[in-house]
Each structure stands twice: as structure tokens, then as C-alpha cells.
Amino acid sequence: MSYDSYDEMPGDEANPLRGLSLDELRRRTSAKWRAYPPDVLPLWVAEMDVMPAAPVARALTEAVALGDTGYATGTAYAEALDAFARKRWGWDGVAVERTATVADVMRGSVEMLKLVTGPGDAVVVNPPVYPAFFGFLEHEDRRVVEAPLGPDGRLGAAALEAAFQQATAGGRRAAYLLCNPHNPTGTVHTRAELAAVAELAGAYGVRVVADEIHAPLVLPGAEYVPYLSVPGAEDAFALLSASKAWNLAGLKAAVAVAGPAAADDLARLPGIAGHGPSHLGVIAHTAALRDGAEWLDAVLAGLDENRRLLGELLERHLPGVRYLRPEGTYLAWLDCRALGLGDDPAAVFLERGRVALSGGLPFRTGGAGHVRLNFATSPELLTEGVRRMAAALP
Ligand SMILES: Cc1ncc(COP(=O)(O)O)c(C=O)c1O
């Protein structure tokens, strides 16, 4: 398929989530589209059913035309992030000299955690949370200490304090891997909540690494507060990336940002960490941040519509499901316990309804009886997904 002009690409410019047919989507070879048989509608892994933003497609095409497919270098990505953060969030904390371009958010988070903890040390997380957190931490021989979110999906000071106490017992070093906004609940932590985190972390000497990959995906009604912008967070790290908001997970790159009091720690980052980011990833992410705000706004409007539509569809077809209306991300955390489908309702929806959702169990505490639904698709496919879920009920 070739397009003389990016205006001719399939998809709908006013709403990038509309206009791609199921046949077109099924030609994709990424995880979302290949993990299940072709009769299954995939609404699981965090990929969006969109065509790329035109500035991103253009930058990539130009790079390929030039043969510019070598190694990544320089600070262009961090500079673009700095400019984007100032304009969009009024945040001037992305000091390019305190950044590192890393392979992706997970490997960047691990690198930051390795700067401030050692093998056997504890890392606090807030389940239910993105399952890869557990896999990466355990692979690096870190002890996971859980501070579960409340039933409302929000951070709780008491749970955090108990976890910080446990993590630092015996005078050990400890860290906290914060997810802001939170996957899977779509919770966007408030300034007051984050200030309370910083105060507690300071009191216990716990170092914070904030995974802010979903930051550009905050929906109307909520406001993203960069963790590094709250008082007391000066010795923290944040990981940001264009990968979720512009659907660039296959083009690996992310930026690690150190607070002013973490600059010396970041300076100890081993040179090999710079081997990870893909040059095409850096080009794509940089173009997204520089020239992709209009496209992002169109996606956010479409996601806001889908968030409302999903609420209506669930009320009509699956009234037993409790829908925690997300404030950000394109992920919906659905409490299916009242449906009587057991601990793993995703298995039932897949088997009987031919719709793939993420099962809640790998999100650990609070995950049983839940599923995560990815609503970054067309309203038609979202409607079909809920219809299939309803058809799976006994
Ligand atoms: C909270 C969170 N962190 C990290 C990732 C993965 O990002 P990356 O591919 O940059 O490691 C995801 C993907 O969905 C995510 O939701």
C-alpha cells in the first residue's frame, strides 16, 4: 500500500479512531492482532486502532528514503519533550541535561531503580497494576511490596505508609514504582495525592520512579500533574514517552528525567543503557511531540466519546459490571464479580464470546474477577466487543 499524500491514508482525520475497517486492522502483525485466532475481536493489549499521525508517518518515511536507519544519538527527543511539556502542561522540569534517552519505559524504569536499589531490595507498587511491573522487578531480583489502591482506584496514604515501613525495615534501601496515570484503573493522581506521596517517600527515604507513559492521555475533566513538579519530589525520576499516546510501541524509545537532587544518580547510568533506543523510534517520538498535538487532541476527543459510549453499552447490556470510569488512558477496568464468572472472567469472554480482554489476575491484588478493556478502537468495534461480552453470559 502506498500513499502519495498522508491525507489519503485510511482513517478519519477528525477522529483517528474511526474509519479503519476490521479487515484492514486484521492485516496488522502486532501482538494485538496475532495473539488470538481471527474470529476473536482483540480489545486487550495497549495498542490503538489508529493510523499514525501524519507528521510521524512523514518523518519515518523520510528517514527510510534517506537510509537514515543507523544508531540513535543526541538529545532531540528530550528537547522535543521539554518543549511539549512546557506548552501542554506548563511544566519546565524536563531539564535536558538531566535526561537520558532509553530503550523504552520499562527498561528505563528498571535502569532508574538499579541506580538507587540493589538486588534483594524492595520496590513498592500499587496493585492492581500493569503486570510487566512484577515481571521486570522479579527478573532484577527486587522484592515487590504491595500498597494496594483503594476500591475507588485511588492511592491511600495508610497503605503506602505500611508498604514503605515494610520496604525499608532493617535500614534497607527501597524504591517506589508509581504509575501516573495508573494502568489499569485510568486513575489520574491529583496534586494533593502526589504531594502526600512525596512527603511519605521523603520521611522513609524511599526513592520514587514515576512511570508517566500515559501522561498525554489524560481525558477531559482531569489534569496530569507531573510527579517531578510536586514539592518534595526533587530526588525522584520520571519516565515519559510518546509510545502510548501516538501508538508507537513498535518504535522503541523513551526519556528518563531526573529531578535536580537525582542528577548525580543519573550521571551513574551505565553507557550501555544508551544502546537501547531505536533511531527510528527517536525520530518518530520526536516528530510526535513536535508536530503531533493536533492529532493527539483528535484522539483524546474520540477516546472521551468512547469512554461515554462504553458506560452506556455496559449499562444496557451488562448492568452487573462495575465500570470505574477512567480519568485517563484508553483502558477500562471492569469489575465483573457480580456476573458469577469466577476469578478469570476474561477466559469466559474469550471462550464463549470470542472477545479478548486482559484478565485481571496478572494485575495481582484486586485483580480477581476483573478484566481490562482497551477502548482505543472505533465506536462500532467497541459496541461489537460489549455485545460479544454479553453473549458470553450463561
Ligand atoms: C504503565 C505502563 N508502563 C510501561 C508500558 C510499556 O511501555 P514500553 O513499551 O515503553 O516499555 C506500558 C504499556 O502499556 C504501560 O501501560
Side-chain angles (χ1 to χ4, degrees), residues 70-74 101 274 277-280 282:
Y71 291 111
T73 187
T101 308
S278 134
H279 181 46
L280 287 179
V282 168

Side-chain angles (χ1 to χ4, degrees), residues 232-392:
E234 294 79 9
D235 69 349
F237 303 90
L239 273 298
L240 289 114
S241 174
S243 75
K244 284 301 122 189
W246 284 270
N247 201 39
L248 303 173
L251 290 153
K252 292 258 173 200
V255 177
V257 186
D264 291 349
D265 293 310
L266 187 68
R268 292 186 288 104
L269 185 69
I272 51 163
H275 197 78
S278 134
H279 181 46
L280 287 179
V282 168
I283 287 171
H285 291 219
T286 303
L289 291 166
R290 264 192 206 147
D291 301 314
E294 210 178 306
W295 182 91
L296 175 65
D297 285 336
V299 166
L300 291 174
L303 291 176
D304 189 27
E305 242 178 68
N306 281 359
R307 171 174 69 166
R308 183 191 46 75
L309 173 65
L310 179 58
E312 288 170 11
L313 290 167
L314 291 170
E315 217 173 282
R316 196 169 331 132
H317 301 293
L318 286 163
V321 169
R322 182 170 164 257
Y323 170 47
L324 205 57
R325 188 176 175 274
E327 299 173 303
T329 80
Y330 48 78
L331 307 166
W333 186 237
L334 306 180
D335 180 350
C336 302
R337 285 175 295 181
L339 300 181
L341 302 178
D343 279 354
D344 189 13
V348 180
F349 291 129
L350 176 63
E351 178 68 25
R352 296 203 212 133
R354 310 311 284 162
V355 54
L357 308 165
S358 301
L361 291 171
F363 294 78
R364 303 233 180 144
T365 299
H370 289 68
V371 298
R372 190 192 73 177
L373 182 150
N374 171 352
F375 59 87
T377 188
S378 66
E380 291 75 23
L381 292 184
L382 183 58
T383 304
E384 172 63 10
V386 175
R387 191 197 65 74
R388 288 181 183 220
M389 288 171 72

Side-chain angles (χ1 to χ4, degrees), residues 46 104-106 130 133 179 183 211 213-214 243-244 252:
D104 56 32
V105 165
M106 282 319 303
Y130 181 49
F133 278 19
C179 194
N183 170 0
D211 173 339
I213 194 169
H214 293 281
S243 75
K244 284 301 122 189
K252 292 258 173 200

